[in-house]
């Protein structure tokens, strides 16, 4: 994997935060921390896309029905007994 050098500008507060993360032993250097943040953002964006797709699928599935809490409780009790 090729690496690319970037220059970023941080506020003093942001710089202190990054330094604390490194000094705390969480990361070896600034680059490791920035790459970690990018991976987290990528994961969050992927999860958001999955949720949006699930919402669209749910909306397209038709009209919803009222929730029968008694049936939900019965099913939960049945699963609990089966697990015992």
């Amino acid at each position: 994997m090729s690496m690319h050098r970037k220059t970023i500008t941080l506020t003093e507060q942001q710089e202190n935060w990054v330094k604390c993360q490194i000094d705390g032993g969480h990361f070896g250097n600034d680059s490791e921390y920035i790459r970690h943040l990018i991976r987290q953002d990528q994961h969050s964006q992927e999860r958001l896309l999955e949720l949006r797709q699930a919402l669209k699928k749910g909306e397209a599935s038709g009209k919803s029905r009222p929730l029968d809490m008694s049936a939900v409780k019965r099913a939960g009790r049945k699963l609990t007994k089966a697990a015992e």
Side-chain angles (χ1 to χ4, degrees), residues 48-59:
L48 185 58
L49 178 61
E50 290 171 3
L51 289 171
R52 285 183 175 146
Q53 289 171 340
L55 284 171
K56 285 180 183 178
K57 183 178 178 182
E59 288 173 348

Side-chain angles (χ1 to χ4, degrees), residues 8 10 18 29-39:
I8 62 169
L10 303 174
V18 172
N29 56 45
D30 296 19
S31 293
E32 285 182 16
Y33 183 58
I34 299 301
R35 287 192 297 269
H36 167 76
L37 294 175
I38 292 170
R39 284 190 299 272

Side-chain angles (χ1 to χ4, degrees), residues 60-72:
S61 70
K63 188 172 178 170
S64 63
R65 295 173 297 184
L67 179 62
D68 181 357
M69 281 307 295
S70 296
V72 172

Side-chain angles (χ1 to χ4, degrees), residues 68-82:
D68 181 357
M69 281 307 295
S70 296
V72 172
K73 289 177 182 178
R74 278 193 305 275
R77 288 183 189 114
K78 185 176 178 182
L79 287 172
T80 302
K81 282 187 178 183

